[in-house]
Amino acid sequence: MRKMTLISLAIAALPTLGAAGPFDDLASVEILPGWRSASGEHIAGIRVTMDPGWKTYWRAPGDAGIPPLFSLAGSENITGYTPHWPVPEVFYQNDMYSVGYVGSVVFPLRLYNEDPDAPMRITGQLHIGVCEEICIPVTLNFDELLPPVGERDAAITAALINRPLTEDEANVGAVTCRIAPISDGLQVTTTIDVPSTNAKEFVVVEAGDANIWVSEADIIRHGNTLSATVDMVHTSGSAFALDRSAVRITILGGDQAIDIQGCDAG
């Protein structure tokens, strides 16, 4: 079940990615300026467009992918941000799986500021992986002025709508995690009380720590009970403790997804 690829092990090194490389013309980036919300936050979007046949990845990219990394160094009147992740697809190639987007994707960003009445400048880089037959890290630079008054953008709005269901929306009941030691880490079995998506289901389990590698899940469903078992290994090879409240579980089925945060002791 477990396959730890060189790409998986290299994820922790992504923040060291620097200037644009020779493959960066495989994808382009565009800032969608968006609008200022009533609370003063700004909703913008980053649109990534790739060459035909190429794809990029979701925040938990799977065995053969590289997670997107946003860097807003150099931005003005931006104190923080929250990315939103549209529902991704699951891909299988060479006996490995990945999770992401084909052709193009818009990542909405909720941006926080010091002065909601002043312009905001979003400057920085997006580090992504793009993949066809091989997977290549790419660095995309952006610099855009976000005015204090803006119009709602249809592409950003569509990406915000294309989100996973919450636990309440999906009628999720009890969620537990049973933990057992293995030779190099932990085996975690999540058991979820949730109605079927009526499609082939795929479960992604995230440990809440980017330094913890998580295997593809082995899934069993009996009626409204879905179980997913994964192995977790720290990339340093050292022992670690798992915070159940930080565990994030995503159920992907058909064109929908369910986002579950945290689990109780099983």
Side-chain angles (χ1 to χ4, degrees):
M1 177 182 72
R2 191 168 73 203
K3 298 175 183 176
M4 188 181 296
T5 66
L6 292 175
I7 290 175
S8 301
L9 290 170
I11 285 174
L14 276 175
T16 64
L17 291 174
F23 299 103
D24 291 354
D25 58 355
L26 294 172
S28 62
V29 66
E30 176 189 4
I31 296 296
L32 306 179
W35 65 92
R36 199 71 53 95
S37 69
S39 61
E41 301 162 353
H42 197 97
I43 312 299
I46 296 183
R47 178 170 18 222
V48 178
T49 304
M50 292 152 282
D51 281 357
W54 290 78
K55 60 180 179 287
T56 194
Y57 298 99
W58 186 54
R59 65 166 190 267
D63 281 328
I66 300 171
L69 176 68
F70 303 91
S71 172
L72 303 190
S75 296
E76 299 173 7
N77 195 26
I78 295 177
T79 58
Y81 67 94
T82 299
H84 294 265
W85 304 92
V87 173
E89 299 179 55
V90 179
F91 310 101
Y92 285 92
Q93 185 176 3
N94 299 325
D95 295 324
M96 293 188 294
Y97 83 96
S98 59
V99 186
Y101 312 94
V102 175
S104 67
V105 60
V106 173
F107 296 114
L109 294 180
R110 185 177 298 273
L111 302 164
Y112 310 102
N113 53 51
E114 294 178 342
D115 184 353
D117 297 320
M120 302 164 67
R121 179 173 292 278
I122 182 169
T123 303
Q125 296 178 324
L126 174 62
H127 305 293
I128 61 172
V130 293
C131 185
E132 189 184 41
E133 296 297 327
I134 58 173
C135 298
I136 299 169
V138 168
T139 298
L140 302 171
N141 299 296
F142 51 83
D143 182 14
E144 186 78 23
L145 185 66
L146 308 176
V149 177
E151 297 183 357
R152 287 185 175 268
D153 183 284
I156 299 174
T157 301
L160 288 169
I161 292 172
N162 184 27
R163 61 170 178 81
L165 299 175
T166 65
E167 295 177 52
D168 287 342
E169 290 169 337
N171 296 315
V172 174
V175 182
T176 62
C177 289
R178 186 176 70 253
I179 300 173
I182 55 177
S183 61
D184 52 356
L186 299 174
Q187 185 174 84
V188 180
T189 299
T190 66
T191 302
I192 307 162
D193 179 11
V194 59
S196 173
T197 61
N198 296 315
K200 182 179 180 180
E201 292 175 321
F202 188 86
V203 177
V204 178
V205 180
E206 299 169 74
D209 181 342
N211 293 312
I212 298 175
W213 173 86
V214 183
S215 70
E216 180 180 350
D218 284 340
I219 303 169
I220 300 174
R221 178 179 276 284
H222 294 296
N224 284 348
T225 301
L226 180 65
S227 295
T229 299
V230 298
D231 291 346
M232 295 187 180
V233 178
H234 200 282
T235 54
S236 68
S238 60
F240 64 95
L242 181 66
D243 179 1
R244 285 184 174 88
S245 67
V247 171
R248 191 170 188 176
I249 305 162
T250 304
I251 302 171
L252 299 166
D255 59 356
Q256 66 175 305
I258 303 169
D259 186 18
I260 300 169
Q261 183 67 59
C263 55
D264 297 321

